[in-house]
Amino acid sequence: MPDRPDYAALTRGQIALLDRINAGETGLAALNQLVSLAREVLGGIGAGFAEYSPRHGRIIAATGACTRSVGQRVPRLDADPSAGGRTRVIPFHEMRKRHADRDGVHHLLAGRCEVGGLIVGALHVSYGDDAGEPTPEHHAVIELLAAQVAHMYGDQTGLPVHGAGPVVAALADGLAIVDRHRVVQLWNPAAERLTGRTAAETLDRELPFPVPPPGQVLVHRLPSGRWLKVTAGDLPGTPAMRVVTFRDSTDQDRRHEDRDLFVAVTSHELRTPVTVIKGYADTLTNHWESLGEEGRQEAVRVVNARAGELARLVDRLLSATSDDGEVGGSPPGPFDLAEALRAAADELPADLSRRLVLENLPGDLPKAFGDRDSLATVLTELATNADKYSPADTEVTVTAAADEATVMFRVADRGVGVRPEHIERAFERYWQGGTADQARNPGAGLGLYLVRRIVERQQGWVSLRPREGGGTVAEVRFPRA
C-alpha cells in the first residue's frame, strides 16, 4: 500500500468520470469506472461495490483481484452492530465469513454509501498480505469516493441496478425518515408528489398517516382519495429512527397482478410438452401396429423426453412462486463438475444439444461442493437462454476451470449480448430482454431467476457479462470441496 493516495490520479479520474457522466454514460458503466478509480488511487490489488437489499449485498461492479466476485451475495457491511463510522478496515479472518474466496486478499478498506440516511451499498478496496494499515488519508479518500457513489444513486440515473428491494423503494417511491415519536426528519420529492404535502409543510411535524410494524404492509387512504401502500423498517445503525416507504396503490393490487401473471406463465410453459405427450400417446394408441417397432420406440423416446421436460417445468414453476422459499434439491456434497456437465448435456433436448459444444472440460478439475443433481436444471436454463438470444447457426460453448477457492463453468454464445444496465435485471423473476426471437422461443423470464436461486442455495454465485467479439457469457462458481 502506498504511503499516501495518488491525488493526481484522483483528480484525473474525477474529471474523466464527470466527462463521462456529462456525455450521458451513467449507471453501471460510470460505477465501474469509479470502482477502477478507487483501486488506482488507493493502491489496492482489487476493488468492488456491493449494492444492498434488505438482508444482504450483491457485488455488481469489481476490478482486479475482486473481478470474479461479480454477482456474489455478501453480508451487509452494517450487519455487524460493532461497525461504526463511514469507513472500516475488514481483516482477513472476518472477510472469510463474507466471501467464498480470498485470492491473496489480506484486508479490505470499505466505505459506506448513504443517501438521506439510507445505506445503499459499500465501496471497498482490497489489499494483499504485504500491505500496511490504511492511513487517515486513505480513509478520507474512500469516504469521498463512497459519497460520490451515493450521489449517483441519489440522481437515480441507471442506479440502482436491481429492479426490486428497499433501495428502489426508498429512492423511487415516497420516503420518510421519522423518529420514535413519528416526527418527520426527511421527506423526499416523491413523498411530496404522492401526498401533496411539501417538505416545508411536513418536516418536524408528525407523519400524516400511520406507520406499520416492521415486515408488515399498511394500506392507507389519503383525504384526496389516493390509496398508499406503506411499509417501514428500522434505520440501520440508528434504532431510534425508522424508514417509511410508500407507493400509490390506487389502481393496482400487486398480489392479483402476480397471480394473474403466474397463471399466464404456467399455461404457456406447460402447453407445449403436454400437447406433444398427448399427441404421441394418441398415435401409439391408434396406430400401434402400423408404426412398427422402430416407430414405436421413437414415439416412446419422445414421450419420455417430454415427460422429463414437463417434470422440470413443474419444478421450476413451483420454485418460482415464492421469493423466500427454498428451491428443492439434494444436500450439497463433493462432485465432479466436468463429469456432471457431460451428463447434464446428454439430458438436453435435441435442439439444444446440437448447438452445445463442450469445449474445455479438464479431467483434473478439483471437486466442486454443491448439489450435483441440480446441474442439469442449471445447464438447461443457461443453454436455453443462450439459444434464445443467439442466431441458430452459431455454437454455444461450455468450458470449465478452477482456481484456489472455486470451481466454475461458463456458457458462452455469439448472440445479441447483454447491456450493462440489464445484467442484474436479467435475474429478476418474469423479466425478459426485448430483442429475442419471441416467435422461435418465447420463454417466460424464469430461467435465470431460478438459476441464481439454485446456485446460491449451494453457497455459489452466478454472473453475466458481455463476451468479447459479441455475445454473452454466463459464469457459475461453486466452492471447492
Side-chain angles (χ1 to χ4, degrees), residues 13-73:
Q14 293 277 9
I15 293 172
L17 184 61
L18 287 173
D19 288 344
R20 189 167 192 167
I21 292 174
N22 290 335
E25 294 185 50
T26 55
L28 198 55
L31 179 61
N32 272 297
Q33 183 169 334
L34 195 146
V35 168
S36 297
L37 177 62
R39 179 194 177 193
E40 179 185 4
V41 172
L42 294 170
I45 62 173
F49 175 75
E51 184 178 273
Y52 285 173
S53 67
R55 302 179 186 87
H56 60 264
R58 190 178 299 280
I59 305 295
I60 62 170
T63 185
C66 302
T67 300
R68 71 181 181 190
S69 296
V70 170
Q72 184 181 0
R73 277 178 64 160

Side-chain angles (χ1 to χ4, degrees), residues 116-118 175-186 207 210-215 230-236 238-245:
L118 184 73
L175 167 68
I177 294 180
V178 300
D179 64 17
R180 67 181 65 188
H181 303 295
R182 292 182 46 236
V183 174
V184 178
Q185 306 297 314
L186 183 145
L207 190 71
V211 177
V230 187
T231 59
D234 292 333
L235 188 64
T238 314
M241 307 294 284
R242 180 163 290 183
V243 179
V244 183
T245 61

Side-chain angles (χ1 to χ4, degrees), residues 95-179:
M95 190 189 68
R96 290 172 62 182
K97 306 172 188 175
R98 300 171 177 269
H99 299 274
D101 60 280
R102 178 189 179 193
D103 203 20
V105 176
H106 181 266
H107 60 269
L108 303 178
L109 174 61
R112 222 166 54 194
C113 305
E114 297 185 25
V115 179
L118 184 73
I119 303 176
V120 298
L123 177 68
H124 64 266
V125 177
S126 57
Y127 295 95
D129 294 338
D130 57 349
E133 286 295 312
T135 68
E137 290 183 72
H138 290 85
H139 281 267
V141 169
I142 194 77
E143 184 174 350
L144 170 67
L145 295 176
Q148 187 160 357
V149 173
H151 183 74
M152 292 164 62
Y153 271 79
D155 288 343
Q156 301 182 44
T157 309
L159 294 172
V161 302
H162 292 93
V167 174
V168 175
L171 297 178
D173 297 342
L175 167 68
I177 294 180
V178 300
D179 64 17

Side-chain angles (χ1 to χ4, degrees), residues 316-439:
R316 70 200 285 260
L317 287 166
L318 291 177
S319 298
T321 59
S322 170
D323 288 319
D324 300 319
E326 288 287 341
V327 179
S330 305
F335 71 96
D336 185 327
L337 179 63
E339 185 275 331
L341 285 170
R342 293 188 188 96
D346 290 339
E347 296 180 20
L348 290 174
D351 55 342
L352 284 180
S353 63
R354 280 193 294 267
R355 300 189 60 185
L356 205 68
V357 177
L358 305 182
E359 194 170 75
N360 182 19
L361 303 180
D364 59 349
L365 281 177
K367 293 290 181 67
F369 187 82
D371 176 8
R372 182 193 182 283
D373 294 340
S374 71
L375 204 65
T377 300
V378 171
L379 183 61
T380 298
E381 300 297 347
L382 294 179
T384 299
N385 199 63
D387 175 68
K388 177 179 175 181
Y389 287 93
S390 59
D393 58 349
T394 59
E395 293 180 343
V396 175
T397 60
V398 178
T399 59
D403 55 36
E404 63 181 22
T406 63
V407 185
M408 49 77 62
F409 73 93
R410 297 185 179 104
V411 178
D413 63 61
R414 287 295 184 189
V416 298
V418 56
R419 294 165 58 182
E421 62 267 29
H422 290 168
I423 286 175
E424 282 299 316
R425 292 206 66 197
F427 292 101
E428 294 175 15
R429 185 170 57 175
Y430 304 132
W431 189 89
Q432 296 187 81
T435 56
D437 182 352
Q438 298 292 326

Side-chain angles (χ1 to χ4, degrees), residues 78-99:
D78 58 334
D80 182 356
S82 66
R86 292 181 178 272
T87 65
R88 187 182 176 207
V89 176
I90 305 174
F92 169 61
H93 73 271
E94 185 176 332
M95 190 189 68
R96 290 172 62 182
K97 306 172 188 175
R98 300 171 177 269
H99 299 274

Side-chain angles (χ1 to χ4, degrees), residues 443-461:
L446 290 174
L448 291 177
Y449 167 81
L450 184 61
V451 166
R452 174 164 274 181
R453 293 186 63 202
I454 291 173
V455 173
E456 290 187 346
R457 181 178 61 84
Q458 304 169 61
Q459 307 306 312
W461 67 95

